[in-house]
Every structure is written in C-alpha cells, then in structure tokens.
Amino acid sequence: MGLNQTEEVLVEGFKAAGSEPRCKGFAIGRSIFFEPAEEWFSNRADDEITVSRIADKFSSILSQWRHYRSQ
C-alpha cells in the first residue's frame, strides 16, 4: 500500500480499508522513513532530527488509521 505515498493518499486507503474486518493493519515503511532517510544519508539531518521526523510521521499516520478503523 505505501510505496512512498503521501499521507493524504494513505488516508484515502484507510477510509476504504478501515471498515473491512479482514484488514488488520498496514505496511507503509517507505512512506514513513524514505524522506527522512534521504536527508540523513546526505548529511542534511542528524540522528536526532531523523528519528524525530520518522516518529512524528508514524504517529500521524497511525492516528489516521485508528480514526478510520474505529468507524
């Protein structure tokens, strides 16, 4: 599902899959870490910033999933 999609695109998928009882979660690694990792590998971001950006992105996307899963 992820394929480095934007959060907006992922939310559209969550809207469709959230009420499906067979759907138990999501796999969107690149959508969470790709951009922060690029910044880190090119030395434009340090460890702390990179970890923070990945955690913030995961938290935001997880919040969206939980919202649509509960509907």
Side-chain angles (χ1 to χ4, degrees):
M1 181 176 159
L3 303 173
N4 196 29
Q5 295 293 327
T6 64
E7 189 168 339
E8 293 77 23
V9 171
L10 295 173
V11 168
E12 290 303 313
F14 293 167
K15 287 178 186 177
S19 62
E20 174 56 52
R22 286 174 256 157
C23 183
K24 301 296 184 191
F26 55 88
I28 56 168
R30 282 178 284 180
S31 296
I32 295 169
F33 69 77
F34 188 81
E35 289 177 23
E38 277 189 320
E39 297 287 315
W40 184 77
F41 282 121
S42 66
N43 293 315
R44 294 188 306 255
D46 64 18
D47 295 352
E48 186 176 330
I49 290 170
T50 302
V51 170
S52 177
R53 286 182 62 204
I54 291 169
D56 290 347
K57 196 169 231 189
F58 178 72
S59 178
S60 177
I61 290 171
L62 181 59
S63 176
Q64 292 290 333
W65 167 253
R66 287 179 172 160
H67 171 76
Y68 289 105
R69 185 66 177 161
S70 67
Q71 291 185 348

